[in-house]
């Protein structure tokens, strides 16, 4: 059986690298932000405190079946 022993220095470097990688992953996630300049119809996200992107909010579409008639259809006799 082969075993490797890490020195204290190698263990500390490995732990620091894992901590830095975790911090980069957390900072890199897009975070929703409010944009008072664009208004409520826009949705903005900021990535890594640097890159900000905005897109129009998705409007909930009303199905065409509901808008094509003013009165509900009566059931037909079969």
């Amino acid at each position: 059986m082969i075993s490797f022993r890490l020195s204290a220095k190698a263990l500390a470097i490995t732990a620091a690298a894992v901590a830095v990688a975790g911090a980069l992953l957390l900072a890199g996630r897009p975070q929703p932000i409010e944009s008072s300049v664009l208004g409520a119809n826009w949705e903005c996200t900021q990535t890594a405190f640097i890159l900000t992107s905005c897109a129009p909010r998705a409007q909930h579409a009303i199905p065409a079946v509901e808008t094509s008639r003013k009165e509900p259809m009566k059931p037909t006799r079969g």
Side-chain angles (χ1 to χ4, degrees):
M1 180 171 165
I2 300 173
S3 64
F4 295 100
R5 295 190 74 193
L6 291 176
S7 66
K9 183 178 179 179
L11 188 59
I13 291 172
T14 303
V18 168
V20 168
L24 288 175
L25 285 175
L26 287 176
R29 291 187 325 182
Q31 300 292 327
I33 60 169
E34 294 295 324
S35 175
S36 59
V37 176
L38 295 175
N41 292 332
W42 288 84
E43 186 173 12
C44 298
T45 57
Q46 189 175 33
T47 304
F49 309 111
I50 298 171
L51 179 65
T52 302
S53 61
C54 297
R57 287 193 191 270
Q59 300 292 329
H60 295 288
I62 300 172
V65 175
E66 292 181 16
T67 59
S68 64
R69 297 185 183 272
K70 292 183 180 181
E71 299 176 4
M73 289 183 61
K74 295 180 182 177
T76 58
R77 296 182 185 178

